[in-house]
Amino acid sequence: MKFNIALLAGDGIGPEVIDQAIKVCDAVAFRFNHQITWKPALTGAAAIDAVGNPYPDETHEICIAADAVLFGAIGHPKYDNDPSAKVRPEQGLLKMRQKLGLFANVRPTFTFPSLIDKSPLKKERIEGTDLVFLRELTGGIYFGKRGREDEGNTAYDTCTYTRAEVERLARKGFEMARQRSKKLCCVDKANVLETSRLWRETVQGLEQDYPDIAVTYEFVDAVAVRVSQWPSTYDVLITENLFGDVLTDEASVISGSMGLMPSASLGEKTSLFEPIHGSYPQAAGKNIANPLATVLSAAMMFETAFGLVEEAAAIREVVNQSLAHGIVTEDLSNGGKSYGTREVGDWLAATI
């Protein structure tokens, strides 16, 4: 098979971890007789520096024409530390999600047998964890009306959802739960927020279409506690944009490192695959960034975008081997021998 993949390395450690994912994907393509054409494009701070736009039209056209998008990270301290900046890297990410229609962010959380004792949470609490957050990605407070009043002394951000936005995400959640353990949790704050009441009302209206799925409704603050105490009781959780952003970062602690968790953003026009971590600019160029989340995102790409289950399994298997053999970057070495970003990528590709 032949694939055209848009390659958005982005900022910080993005280019370094993306390079390792390319090595692994090319090794998979060689082993399984596929052909990949990579189409690099600018985004984030790198794009602002080059053309003044964090998501240029040229980048959008490359993404639209691709079979999938592999993405690194966005963000740079010179923008983070300047509240007055009119153009920011993160604006490119929001624009990309909106223009590509990437409305469903799939964030799995699972444990690795060889790393379970390195998690900050007790083994007996997290063993067997295998859950998925489905986060709505193009609505809510990140896309609502915002501004300043009272000579800049009052600020507001508006959270808005339509029933159609909630329904299309909820149906994906029901369908995903049907392929897993048939449990769905709707995460909201319906005791306070009108948008959450719309979420709950909409999901309740869909229950009759999925009688085989056990549905629960939990407030976001309760989930924030329970996901760190009894995460294995969850299967699929659906939630709005802001709640999902916070909860998925919290859940990443379960595995022992944010550098391990992949994600997919599914949309109307294409799908995008990226690690859940940020650009980590302090580590950029030091050959210490953990590439495994990006590599596992590539595995999600092979399976979700291309339907290639065996290829995805080969990537996940070699990642498990690297963890079991200690071929890891310093964030996972626990003070022992560690390897550089490039060395881990080389080992993964060679082993495939």
Side-chain angles (χ1 to χ4, degrees):
M1 297 179 70
K2 295 181 179 180
F3 308 109
N4 291 314
I5 301 175
L7 200 62
L8 277 58
D11 307 321
I13 63 171
E16 295 173 73
V17 294
I18 282 289
D19 282 349
Q20 312 322 308
I22 292 172
K23 293 176 186 176
V24 171
C25 289
D26 285 344
V28 167
F30 178 80
R31 175 172 160 183
F32 291 92
N33 197 29
H34 301 305
Q35 182 179 327
I36 298 176
T37 300
W38 300 101
K39 300 284 188 178
L42 290 170
T43 190
I48 297 175
D49 292 343
V51 298
N53 184 343
Y55 185 62
D57 291 342
E58 182 181 355
T59 296
H60 180 65
E61 293 305 316
I62 288 173
C63 291
I64 285 290
D67 298 309
V69 181
L70 189 60
F71 174 63
I74 271 182
H76 195 284
K78 70 180 178 182
Y79 298 99
D80 297 339
N81 298 328
D82 182 7
S84 65
K86 301 299 183 185
V87 181
R88 297 179 173 278
E90 292 76 15
Q91 291 170 345
L93 187 58
L94 297 181
K95 186 178 178 182
M96 177 168 60
R97 289 170 179 171
Q98 199 165 43
K99 289 188 73 172
L100 293 177
L102 302 173
F103 67 89
N105 183 223
V106 183
R107 285 200 177 187
T109 298
F110 46 87
T111 56
F112 297 87
S114 59
L115 294 181
I116 200 160
D117 291 321
K118 294 183 180 180
S119 172
L121 302 179
K122 293 181 178 178
K123 177 180 178 179
E124 57 268 26
R125 290 194 179 277
I126 64 172
E127 205 160 28
T129 296
D130 181 13
L131 60 86
V132 176
F133 278 97
L134 196 59
R135 167 191 169 194
E136 202 289 322
L137 208 56
T138 57
I141 201 166
Y142 291 166
F143 291 91
K145 186 177 179 182
R146 67 191 63 188
R148 292 284 186 102
E149 296 176 339
D150 187 25
E151 297 181 344
N153 294 309
T154 300
Y156 61 90
D157 296 276
T158 308
C159 183
T160 304
Y161 270 108
T162 66
R163 191 180 300 276
E165 287 175 321
V166 178
E167 182 173 333
R168 69 179 178 179
L169 184 94
R171 286 196 181 278
K172 277 200 173 292
F174 275 107
E175 292 161 6
M176 190 174 292
R178 181 168 277 169
Q179 301 300 316
R180 292 171 51 89
S181 298
K182 294 184 169 55
K183 294 192 299 181
L184 182 76
C185 177
C186 176
V187 183
D188 59 37
K189 192 63 177 171
N191 58 335
V192 176
L193 302 177
E194 193 62 36
T195 48
S196 283
R197 285 189 275 274
L198 175 65
W199 270 78
R200 188 170 291 212
E201 176 187 302
T202 303
V203 175
Q204 287 173 338
L206 295 174
E207 284 192 47
Q208 61 184 3
D209 295 342
Y210 303 91
D212 54 326
I213 307 300
V215 185
T216 58
Y217 300 85
E218 296 185 33
F219 296 146
V220 61
D221 41 351
V223 174
V225 174
R226 188 174 157 197
V227 81
S228 62
Q229 291 184 319
W230 305 286
S232 61
T233 61
Y234 287 117
D235 183 30
V236 177
L237 303 95
I238 57 173
T239 186
E240 61 98 58
N241 207 339
L242 176 60
F243 295 163
D245 193 359
V246 176
L247 288 174
T248 52
D249 281 356
E250 180 197 5
S252 70
V253 171
I254 293 169
S255 69
S257 172
M258 283 189 73
L260 290 170
M261 290 293 105
S263 76
S265 295
L266 312 180
E268 302 160 347
K269 300 179 177 70
T270 190
S271 296
L272 178 146
F273 302 85
E274 63 177 306
I276 72 163
H277 59 68
S279 61
Y280 193 15
Q282 301 89 339
K286 296 181 180 178
N287 195 35
I288 61 173
N290 187 345
L292 295 184
T294 312
V295 170
L296 289 170
S297 297
M300 290 185 75
M301 178 180 69
F302 276 104
E303 183 168 6
T304 306
F306 308 146
L308 299 175
V309 176
E310 189 177 356
E311 286 83 339
I315 295 175
R316 295 186 182 112
E317 172 60 25
V318 78
V319 167
N320 280 323
Q321 288 180 38
S322 76
L323 294 171
H325 296 315
I327 314 298
V328 295
T329 45
E330 64 178 29
D331 59 308
L332 296 176
S333 66
N334 202 25
K337 180 177 175 53
S338 64
Y339 294 79
T341 307
R342 293 187 295 274
E343 288 68 40
V344 172
D346 290 341
W347 189 90
L348 295 170
T351 304
I352 285 175

